[in-house]
Amino acid sequence: MEWNSTQHFWLVILCFFVALIPRFVPLSFFRTRKIPKWFNEWMSYVPIALFTSLVVKDLIITSSYSLSVDGKAAELIAALLVFIISYWTRSMALSVILGLGSVIVLSLII
């Protein structure tokens, strides 16, 4: 099926609303209410949970959804280095920069 410009336009508009609604509804709901402490504590775990799921998927799950670490030595070593760096420094920027650098260097060596 080939799409014309009008269909592409409506797809972009619908994608806009799909991205807007999960952001706008909570903001409008909590604008006039006090956010409970338990909710803020719970939300503090969301970034690390999302980041971990992305990293784990890239490191050990293959495109056929099986578990394997074959050919991932450089990435696994770099992930360990990033974990250590981020634990010591608590710096996201430093962790990302050194992680990317270590993947590049380790990929050339291994």
Side-chain angles (χ1 to χ4, degrees):
M1 172 178 153
E2 295 216 16
W3 285 42
N4 61 31
S5 296
T6 305
Q7 289 171 319
H8 280 109
F9 172 77
W10 286 113
L11 178 65
V12 169
I13 297 299
L14 288 173
C15 288
F16 166 77
F17 283 109
V18 166
L20 176 72
I21 288 171
R23 290 165 178 84
F24 180 73
V25 170
L27 285 175
S28 64
F29 180 75
F30 287 115
R31 183 178 13 195
T32 58
R33 293 170 181 81
K34 187 174 186 298
I35 299 173
K37 185 177 179 181
W38 64 266
F39 184 77
N40 281 334
E41 290 175 4
W42 179 75
M43 289 302 289
S44 70
Y45 293 105
V46 170
I48 191 66
L50 292 174
F51 183 72
T52 303
S53 67
L54 292 171
V55 169
V56 167
K57 183 198 175 298
D58 189 49
L59 287 177
I60 64 173
I61 299 176
T62 65
S63 60
S64 62
Y65 297 105
S66 61
L67 300 177
S68 175
V69 292
D70 292 337
K72 299 274 187 172
E75 290 88 348
L76 289 169
I77 294 169
L80 180 63
L81 290 172
V82 167
F83 176 76
I84 293 168
I85 291 165
S86 64
Y87 181 77
W88 279 342
T89 65
R90 304 281 192 226
S91 169
M92 179 65 89
L94 186 61
S95 299
V96 169
I97 292 168
L98 292 176
L100 288 172
S102 62
V103 167
I104 292 168
V105 169
L106 290 168
S107 295
L108 295 173
I109 294 172
I110 296 178

